[in-house]
Amino acid sequence: MRTIEVHDLQKTFSSRQGWFGARKVERALDGVSFHVDEGETYALLGPNGSGKSTLIRILATLLLPDGGRVRVLGRPLPGGEAEVRRRIGRVSVDAAFYKKLSARENLLYAAQFYGIEPTAAGKKALGILERLGLEPRRFHDPLEEMSRGMQQKIAIARALLHDPPLLLLDESTTGLDPASKREVQRFLEELRAERGTTILLTTHDMDEAERLAARIGFLARGRLVAEGEADELKQEAGAADLEEAFIRRTGEGFAPAAAGEAV
Amino acid sequence: MIPAFLRPLWAFVFRDFHLTRRYFSWVVVFTFYALVSSATIALIGVAAGDERLTLTLVLGVLLWSFLSAMFQEISNSISYERWEGALEYTFMAPVHRLTHLLGVSLFAVAYSVVRTIVIMVGLLFFVHLSFAGANLWGVLVASVAFMGLGLVAAILPVLSPENGAQATNIVQGVLLLVSGIYYPVEVLPAWVQPLSAFSPATYALAAARKLMGLDRPLSEAGTLAGAPLGAVTHELLVLALMGAVLVPLGLWIFGLVELWAKRTGKLKRTG
Ligand SMILES: Nc1ncnc2c1ncn2[C@@H]1O[C@H](COP(=O)(O)OP(=O)(O)OP(=O)(O)O)[C@@H](O)[C@H]1O
Ligand SMILES: [Mg+2]
């Protein structure tokens, strides 16, 4: 079964400077098609502004697509929001928390959306956080007193509280120290092995993509320019490592196309 | 023990309770300010040596403190979330928008009641109040209609992060002006008066004044002669109707704005 199915996805943002300014149009996704199988881990790589977060937001029901077909966990989007929301977990780059509330309060608040009983939620959250290397005594500290990496760990715990079959991770290891990063990666591998969790992740870390993902997609200027296993991608691009393949595939046509379209 | 289907609703009460706890110094500051301004208004009646005026002012102060606190809590709830950067997370949560807004409203009502009681008790240190003879029961009926207004106003910050929050303050100011909180609406200039018909607070006040007997002279014994609930059926009907229209209308518009925000990418933190 395909957990994520995306066909010819389009998303444009338009904005106006002031009330009477000219309309500025930004094509964030331009005909993206791909799929992620159940239990598979798929990594999206792409330069800044290539549309990774936009794609994740659409899958997370936070943005409406302009065109194309999207199915998540067998439900169409738009249309299946209620079901999809119950069964996904998302970690975004910016940890979205109530900064004055403690980690515990933030997590219990989230758990109640899924009908999880507070005592059970607290125990589970502590378990995950300990696993990710957060000291239990920090559990009662307000989020504003925590470092970015600690907040990121709490965001990961929040996304996992309700055992979602699909995880959407938008640069979830950015800002973590090497040991924590490795801990998160090990944890994700375990989830996949034990629960068959499907994972779609974006990252700027080539090693992470190569280590975790069965398949990798290169996104550039809203288009999926290459897709496949790490070795395939390297071979196709005639590159020694993934970073070089990435630069060749996402860099190619970058400058010339930009110059061409500006006319 | 909370039944499972109520837990998502409770999540919002839980969150707002803890947020209020953490921002408690602000709560104290705002309540202090509200109490002091309430007292200064009530003392106008004392200075005039007019007990009925004093009670009318006190009623206005308390009702407004209740309604404005509730309106503010609800209409600012989205701004708070945007400010904290948690708006996307709330909109991604598997809760019906009705549950979300009900949860926020539930806390807002509880918070406003407590705050109003604190202000009422505080006022006793400044003015002598005697509610003997008043019918205090019907006084809180306006809350549902005001909740609807709060929901309508809560949309504004979704539309525009900054201008929206500014607009809710304007709306609140207009409500204060046209509802005749401290004076009969008849004293408003003719061009403003028609607006008062659209404010639930106008009817809430009219009803409350009748129930407390403030619309007529004091009895010979100097006590109030409150009217029975039956005397305010008109006001109650209008309020019920307003609530029945405004709450679903607020939810409906909220849904439309949510769709618009999801199409244009306005849920993002920076808007
Ligand atoms: N809510 C929004 N409103 C307007 N434009 C947006 C919005 N979200 C994204 N964009 C635009 O869409 C394009 C893609 O942005 P997106 O955030 O998806 O990139 P990204 O690949 O996640 O980049 P990064 O690696 O920096 O996180 C950018 O040009 C961005 O300016
Ligand atoms: Mg991004």
Side-chain angles (χ1 to χ4, degrees), chain A residues 73-161:
Chain A
L73 293 154
R75 308 279 156 165
L77 286 180
E81 282 88 351
E83 175 79 9
V84 170
R85 284 174 185 168
R86 239 192 317 276
R87 301 178 61 207
I88 58 170
R90 165 175 172 260
V91 180
S92 58
V93 220
D94 49 332
F97 286 111
Y98 297 94
K99 291 161 207 66
K100 292 263 180 212
L101 298 190
S102 69
R104 181 177 170 275
E105 285 157 358
N106 268 293
L107 290 173
L108 291 195
Y109 162 63
Q112 294 180 79
F113 289 146
Y114 302 88
I116 308 173
E117 203 250 322
T119 338
K123 217 182 271 168
K124 181 149 189 199
L126 257 182
I128 298 172
L129 286 173
E130 266 182 90
R131 179 66 222 277
L132 297 179
L134 191 95
E135 292 171 70
R137 66 183 174 90
R138 304 304 301 256
F139 201 42
H140 295 273
D141 288 354
L143 260 286
E144 63 183 357
E145 288 173 14
M146 295 195 186
S147 73
R148 201 184 113 61
M150 290 171 174
Q151 295 189 19
Q152 203 62 19
K153 289 176 188 176
I154 292 158
I156 293 171
R158 176 172 64 182
L160 292 171
L161 277 177

Side-chain angles (χ1 to χ4, degrees), chain B residues 23 38 45 52 59 102 112 114 132 139 157 170-171 176 178 199 201 213 215 231 241 244-245 256:
Chain B
Y23 286 102
S38 300
R52 192 157 69 105
L59 172 70
L102 263 180
S112 311
V114 171
V139 175
I170 299 282
V171 172
L176 172 62
V178 304
S199 167
D215 60 329
L241 200 71
V245 172
L256 287 186

Side-chain angles (χ1 to χ4, degrees), chain B residues 55 68 121 145 181:
Chain B
L55 283 175
S68 63
V121 171
I181 307 289

Side-chain angles (χ1 to χ4, degrees), chain A residues 11 13 57 60-64 85 90 96-101 105 109 112-116 158, chain B residues 7-8 10-12 14-15 18 21-23 81 84-85 88-89 91-95 262-263 265 268:
Chain A
K11 184 72 207 174
F13 294 105
R57 282 199 173 90
T61 78
L62 290 169
L63 277 175
L64 287 175
R85 284 174 185 168
R90 165 175 172 260
F97 286 111
Y98 297 94
K99 291 161 207 66
K100 292 263 180 212
L101 298 190
E105 285 157 358
Y109 162 63
Q112 294 180 79
F113 289 146
Y114 302 88
I116 308 173
R158 176 172 64 182
Chain B
R7 201 154 273 143
W10 189 252
F12 292 100
F14 173 90
R15 175 198 70 183
H18 285 289
R21 203 165 59 81
R22 302 275 177 163
Y23 286 102
E81 289 191 38
E84 294 263 17
E88 271 198 337
Y89 194 82
F91 277 69
M92 204 185 75
V95 287
K262 281 166 61 178
R263 204 166 49 237
K268 245 174 77 166

